[in-house]
Amino acid sequence: MSQSPLSPVRDLERLNPDIDRIHELAESLLPVYAQIELGEALPDPEQNQALVALIAILHELHPADMAVVLESLPLQERVLVWKLGAPEEDGEVLLEVSEPVRETLIEAMDKAELLAAVDDLDADELAELAPDLPNQVVYEALSTRDEEERAQVAAAMSFADDQVGAIMDFELVSIRADVSCEVVLRYLRRFESLPDHTDKIFVVDDDDILQGVLPIRKLLVVDPDTQVADIMVDDVVVFRPEDDVEEAAQAFERYDLVTAPVVDANKKLIGRLTVDEMVDVIREESEADMLNMAGLQEEEDLFAPVMDSVKNRWMWLAINLCTAFVASRVIGAFEGSIEKIVALAALMPIVAGIGGNSGNQTITMIVRAMAMGQMTGNQAMHLLRKEEGVALVNGLIWGSVMGVVAWLLYGSLGIGLVMVAAMTLNLLLAATVGVLIPVAMDKMGRDPALGSSVLITAVTDSGGFLIFLGLATIFLL
């Protein structure tokens, strides 16, 4: 006899919200947005059917999926969908969405809705949202918490966004080393549920000084009469609240951690880090590097107002315009050469293009190495020599290929040789600046990825034109 599938199981198909369907329903309801009240039917049967269908879809979504939906909708539809979502999950959704989208959602909520949204959040979650909330909402939300929770929120908010203390979780389970595993198991049964991602129990002394950890997998299989001190692990990866979150995320990846303790200067246990926060850090750092390399100043709401997007993008476009002007003046300086040898105009973009592509490859490798902690200042010269070696080999190979092509096309051996030399020299230039730009940015305390793609393209364009047209002027005219 066949068994019916279990409806609560969330397979891959259910994990991907039907954004197109939600967009279609929300768009159809925009004309009657002002008439929509939760729990009340709309006069028009078709619109009411769309409303019921939309609410049913939204209330089935996980908060993380709801966040994806909200980030994928234009502003008016986003506000409508946010209004129709499950209110008891508002706080979790606000934690999941990007900061620009979070701002638009908070603007659409009144004080009572915001207080209800944050009411069930833990201290560390409230601290994460607090900078985006109105001060009065934060004050009233804290007034309902006990003294310990208020102190935890204040502690988390005292750290910068890129420090471990800003994202540490205060929910944890700790025990003493001088008790048996049977006592620990009885203690755990008193909890309604353990904190999320509990893979280990922290062992502390009477002053909450960290002594080690007891992995749950050991606790479940060991003799109940065994003392915690006999099986606990004392070689533990620990973090300080002042540590950099990106370095902490790298440690989680390196050591396959699920949780890790956070201790103060006296080794007193004050919180823990969890893998879900570290995954968010890795994703956010990756997105930030990608945006910075493209010259975007900050994360941008996909459906932000035009002027907001303009403000976010203008600076590096202005820089790019200046560098393009420099490249045009380089070409202008060799107008006479181009008039005499028209083939130069057709071959110039090839030299600049391959230089830009090679430079972007180099700079991507260097920025990634810096982000992964694989590169220090002492290694910069070694990597510079290595990248120049790669550029030299590629330049000779592909320069020779294009040299032969140019010779066959234009019947001039001189043009072919200039092509080989120009491509090789431009690739060497690209490799050099591809290493030096992120290193210089890092030395100045800036993000190594910031505008790197724009800068490398500017250098290889201007440099490529100068090298190619300069060599052609010297040797062909």
Side-chain angles (χ1 to χ4, degrees):
M1 188 169 103
S2 63
Q3 294 182 334
S4 60
L6 297 174
S7 58
V9 174
R10 294 174 58 81
D11 58 20
L12 183 60
E13 184 177 350
R14 291 188 64 203
L15 288 175
N16 293 307
D18 190 348
I19 295 173
D20 287 339
R21 176 60 175 160
I22 293 172
H23 167 66
E24 179 186 343
L25 292 170
E27 189 176 35
S28 69
L29 291 170
L30 285 180
V32 292
Y33 172 80
Q35 304 174 34
I36 295 176
E37 293 292 338
L38 292 179
E40 297 186 12
L42 291 172
D44 185 280
E46 288 188 8
Q47 290 178 330
N48 190 64
Q49 186 177 1
L51 176 62
V52 172
L54 181 56
I55 292 175
I57 294 173
L58 297 179
H59 285 221
E60 285 289 320
L61 293 177
H62 186 278
D65 295 330
M66 184 67 165
V68 172
V69 169
L70 291 168
E71 291 175 350
S72 306
L73 294 175
L75 187 57
Q76 286 184 307
E77 293 175 28
R78 178 187 299 160
V79 173
L80 172 61
V81 166
W82 180 235
K83 179 180 179 179
L84 298 178
E88 65 273 10
E89 295 182 345
D90 283 356
E92 294 181 63
V93 176
L94 288 174
L95 289 168
E96 294 286 346
V97 295
S98 63
E99 287 189 20
V101 173
R102 183 187 299 164
E103 291 175 5
T104 65
L105 300 179
I106 289 175
E107 288 174 1
M109 302 172 72
D110 58 33
K111 187 171 75 171
E113 290 172 327
L114 287 171
L115 287 171
V118 302
D119 184 55
D120 293 329
L121 297 182
D122 296 331
D124 57 303
E125 295 173 331
L126 177 57
E128 182 179 342
L129 282 183
D132 297 318
L133 297 173
N135 291 336
Q136 186 63 28
V137 172
V138 177
Y139 175 79
E140 292 191 26
L142 288 175
S143 67
T144 64
R145 308 288 175 116
D146 58 35
E147 185 177 347
E148 181 183 9
E149 281 193 297
R150 288 198 295 270
Q152 290 173 346
V153 173
M157 292 179 64
S158 68
F159 294 99
D161 290 341
D162 60 352
Q163 292 182 312
V164 162
I167 61 170
M168 65 181 173
D169 185 1
F170 297 102
E171 273 197 300
L172 52 84
V173 180
S174 62
I175 56 173
R176 302 290 184 263
D178 58 354
V179 298
S180 69
C181 291
E182 175 61 31
V183 171
V184 176
L185 288 169
R186 288 204 305 268
Y187 172 63
L188 294 181
R189 293 189 191 105
R190 294 167 54 188
F191 290 86
E192 290 185 7
S193 63
L194 294 177
D196 291 340
H197 309 292
T198 298
D199 68 320
K200 58 177 70 77
I201 302 171
F202 302 107
V203 184
V204 297
D205 64 13
D206 293 337
D207 297 317
D208 284 335
I209 304 300
L210 184 69
Q211 304 294 303
V213 298
L214 174 60
I216 293 290
R217 63 179 184 274
K218 278 191 176 182
L219 176 64
L220 294 177
V221 298
V222 77
D223 187 329
D225 294 328
T226 304
Q227 292 287 300
V228 169
D230 295 333
I231 61 169
M232 74 178 189
V233 178
D234 53 16
D235 182 16
V236 184
V237 177
V238 299
F239 298 95
R240 299 287 180 85
E242 301 84 8
D243 289 342
D244 183 82
V245 293
E246 190 174 354
E247 294 179 1
Q250 292 168 10
F252 262 69
E253 182 181 13
R254 187 181 311 127
Y255 301 115
D256 295 326
L257 300 175
V258 176
T259 61
V262 180
V263 300
D264 64 13
N266 298 316
K267 296 188 177 181
K268 181 178 180 180
L269 182 65
I270 57 175
R272 65 173 186 150
L273 291 180
T274 57
V275 66
D276 59 328
E277 288 289 351
M278 295 297 98
V279 170
D280 288 343
V281 169
I282 293 171
R283 175 182 56 80
E284 288 167 5
E285 289 294 334
S286 175
E287 290 176 352
D289 285 345
M290 182 172 61
L291 292 172
N292 284 334
M293 290 185 73
L296 293 171
Q297 297 183 57
E298 59 187 21
E299 188 176 9
E300 182 180 306
D301 180 359
L302 190 61
F303 297 98
V306 171
M307 291 311 298
D308 288 350
S309 295
V310 169
K311 292 175 185 177
N312 188 32
R313 305 181 193 186
W314 75 267
M315 185 180 73
W316 285 99
L317 289 177
I319 293 173
N320 187 248
L321 181 62
C322 294
T323 59
F325 178 77
V326 172
S328 72
R329 297 319 305 149
V330 170
I331 296 173
F334 294 94
E335 285 181 358
S337 302
I338 297 173
E339 287 176 359
K340 293 177 183 178
I341 307 176
V342 180
L344 299 181
L347 296 174
M348 279 192 309
I350 299 174
V351 177
I354 196 169
N357 187 27
S358 177
N360 275 310
Q361 290 176 345
T362 299
I363 214 164
T364 300
M365 292 295 296
I366 299 301
V367 169
R368 179 183 178 277
M370 287 181 163
M372 298 294 292
Q374 298 172 342
M375 178 179 168
T376 63
N378 296 331
Q379 296 168 318
M381 290 306 298
H382 176 77
L383 285 171
L384 177 58
R385 289 192 296 270
K386 180 256 184 179
E387 289 299 323
E388 286 180 341
V390 173
L392 180 61
V393 173
N394 277 329
L396 292 173
I397 292 174
W398 299 111
S400 298
V401 170
M402 282 309 303
V404 171
V405 171
W407 180 21
L408 295 175
L409 283 175
Y410 301 104
S412 171
L413 179 60
I415 289 179
L417 293 175
V418 166
M419 197 69 180
V420 175
M423 286 184 64
T424 303
L425 290 173
N426 200 28
L427 286 178
L428 287 170
L429 174 65
T432 302
V433 295
V435 174
L436 295 182
I437 285 175
V439 170
M441 287 286 193
D442 188 56
K443 291 287 186 184
M444 293 186 293
R446 307 295 299 274
D447 188 331
L450 184 61
S452 56
S453 180
V454 176
L455 293 175
I456 195 75
T457 301
V459 172
T460 53
D461 280 358
S462 299
F465 295 149
L466 179 63
I467 292 169
F468 180 60
L469 294 175
L471 290 174
T473 301
I474 293 170
F475 294 106
L476 299 182
L477 295 178

